[in-house]
Amino acid sequence: SCSARLVLTARTALPERAQWDRLLADPETSPALQSRLRRLKELEDLGAELLICVADVSDPAQMASAIAAAGRRFGAIRGVIHAAGELGTHDPLQQKSRESVEAVLRPKVEGTLVLDELFAASRLDFLVLCSSISTSFGSQGMSDYSSANAFQDAFARSGRARSTDRVVSIGWDSWRDVGFAVALGGDPDGPALRNAIAAHEGAQALGIAMAAGLPHVYVSRQDM
């Protein structure tokens, strides 16, 4: 809606921009890559300018490099939406390894702290943490994932953010068209996702949550 300049970070690199159209037309291109490229082109069609950086949000050096690249291209970053995360396995806690739990905690816990530290001097207009409704309602076999998101909720409520006075942790329910549930093979029209959040609803809810002035909100189509 605002033709934003967007800096998008991911741990895996994308093909060069000049190759996108060829890859989208090539039937040999994986459906996952085609979906990512198609969504990026949709953002461009809406007027967004994109800078795509390879960076792990929990790695201070990689994130500092991405922020520096953004500064050279666009100038100062005004706001951050932290949407990185790892689902992990659906095993009971006693069957999880320390390494697997740490991998789930890392993007949410360390990533939040890294962002807050790197932007402490520049003071963001906003910091949005994409948490999960599982922090209050649970998710079987995903105690590590719920804990990781609970950290973000607590961080937003603590008032200890150095990077901004406007930090909100949004506890999302499942999205129907995008996100973890679809990436794991969920059928958007199946019973598990039929009452999930549609993309246009999520975009509208994001704006409402950012404007609400609350440190922590839940977004769900279910009756709580």
Side-chain angles (χ1 to χ4, degrees), residues 12-20 22-23 29 33 36-37 40 52:
T12 54
L14 282 173
E16 294 293 331
R17 177 64 182 83
Q19 301 179 26
W20 289 6
R22 178 184 63 80
L23 290 169
T29 304
L33 178 57
R36 293 181 73 187
L37 297 180
L40 292 171
I52 301 172

Side-chain angles (χ1 to χ4, degrees), residues 122-196:
S122 56
R123 299 293 292 176
L124 298 167
D125 290 341
F126 62 84
L127 171 61
V128 175
L129 306 174
C130 291
S131 179
S132 168
I133 200 171
S134 68
T135 58
S136 281
F137 295 90
S139 185
Q140 185 173 0
M142 299 181 70
S143 52
D144 45 1
Y145 180 72
S146 296
S147 298
N149 287 286
F151 172 84
Q152 292 189 317
D153 298 346
F155 178 84
R157 292 193 301 264
S158 71
R160 296 179 61 182
R162 302 174 59 215
S163 57
T164 181
D165 294 325
R166 296 184 61 196
V167 55
V168 56
S169 185
I170 304 176
W172 295 103
D173 205 341
S174 295
W175 284 48
R176 186 162 57 89
D177 310 298
V178 296
F180 280 141
V182 176
L184 292 174
D187 180 2
D189 298 317
L193 294 181
R194 192 169 295 145
N195 200 37

Side-chain angles (χ1 to χ4, degrees), residues 49-161:
E49 294 183 63
L50 305 182
L51 172 64
I52 301 172
C53 299
V54 178
D56 183 333
V57 69
S58 65
D59 187 310
Q62 290 183 16
M63 287 307 301
S65 178
I67 292 168
R72 292 190 295 269
R73 173 80 175 273
F74 295 139
I77 294 174
R78 302 311 320 155
V80 170
I81 299 175
H82 176 15
E86 284 283 350
L87 275 179
T89 66
H90 283 73
D91 299 323
L93 182 58
Q94 61 268 33
Q95 295 180 16
K96 295 177 185 284
S97 68
R98 181 185 182 92
E99 291 74 21
S100 69
V101 170
E102 288 178 342
V104 174
L105 294 175
R106 190 172 299 116
K108 298 280 188 178
V109 177
E110 296 180 27
T112 297
L113 296 176
V114 165
L115 290 171
D116 188 54
E117 177 67 26
L118 290 176
F119 286 104
S122 56
R123 299 293 292 176
L124 298 167
D125 290 341
F126 62 84
L127 171 61
V128 175
L129 306 174
C130 291
S131 179
S132 168
I133 200 171
S134 68
T135 58
S136 281
F137 295 90
S139 185
Q140 185 173 0
M142 299 181 70
S143 52
D144 45 1
Y145 180 72
S146 296
S147 298
N149 287 286
F151 172 84
Q152 292 189 317
D153 298 346
F155 178 84
R157 292 193 301 264
S158 71
R160 296 179 61 182

